[in-house]
Every structure is written in C-alpha cells, then in structure tokens.
Amino acid sequence: MTHPGATAFPVCELVTLPVGEVVTVTPPGLAPISVFHTSDGLYAIDDTCTHQDASLADGWVEGCTVECPLHEACFDLRTGVPSGPPAKIAVRTHDVSIVDGTVLLHLDQKGDAR
C-alpha cells in the first residue's frame, strides 16, 4: 500500500534482487534504507539498528525477521518492531512496490512513508 503524495524512488530491477537477498539504498537527503526480498515478499526498513549503529543489511534474515549483527536485536520486517532487548525502538518501515520489473520505494515529501 502506498500513501497519497508519496514519491517513488527506484531501487533496482527485481531480477537483480532474488529471494534471500537485500539491497541498501540512500535516497538523497535520507538515511540508508534496506530492501529485503524474502519468500513472503519485499520489505523495506531503515537500515540502521535502533539499539546501536549497525547495518541491518549485514544481519541474518529468517522468515520476516532480521537480526542485527552486533547484539542480536531482532526486528519484524513487516512492522519494524523489535521482538525484545536490547533494541526497544522500532525501525521505520517503508512501502515497496514493483512496476514493470522495477522495485520502487515509496517516500512521502519528508522522506517518510509512515
């Protein structure tokens, strides 16, 4: 689902992002965002763990969960909510779509999707 007024930012061609892979992009003026391709679909979240400065793209993915590579904080890719300590704050999630084979990240005018 996209939000009214959202801007679509091209991420990559879907064929270059097979299931199990992740790509990180940095839209102009924004923090890095990672797009994960899981067997359940595509999910985009802010790339930096809210517990400590680590790239979630370097973490381990199982189902719809990504585990931070530093301190094992786990985040739900669908909601951004951590499953428990040490992370207490959710990462932002962003809408993703596929148009003509291109993965698009949807950002509102402030760079937020939610």
Side-chain angles (χ1 to χ4, degrees):
M1 175 185 209
T2 60
H3 299 274
T7 299
F9 181 85
V11 175
C12 64
E13 296 299 314
L14 181 60
V15 296
T16 65
L17 185 62
V19 172
E21 295 295 322
V22 60
V23 63
T24 301
V25 295
T26 305
L30 298 177
I33 296 171
S34 291
V35 179
F36 295 82
H37 192 180
T38 74
S39 59
D40 294 329
L42 294 166
Y43 300 98
I45 61 173
D46 282 358
D47 181 59
T48 305
C49 178
T50 57
H51 168 250
Q52 196 166 4
D53 190 18
S55 170
L56 294 174
D58 294 335
W60 296 271
V61 176
E62 185 171 335
C64 285
T65 301
V66 61
E67 180 180 321
C68 176
L70 283 186
H71 297 109
E72 302 173 353
C74 292
F75 296 89
D76 188 311
L77 293 171
R78 298 166 291 192
T79 63
V81 175
S83 61
K88 297 178 182 174
I89 300 170
V91 292
R92 290 186 315 169
T93 60
H94 305 275
D95 292 330
V96 179
S97 67
I98 302 167
V99 175
D100 296 331
T102 300
V103 178
L104 299 175
L105 180 63
H106 298 273
L107 304 168
D108 71 12
Q109 295 174 347
K110 295 185 296 183
D112 297 331
R114 297 181 191 256

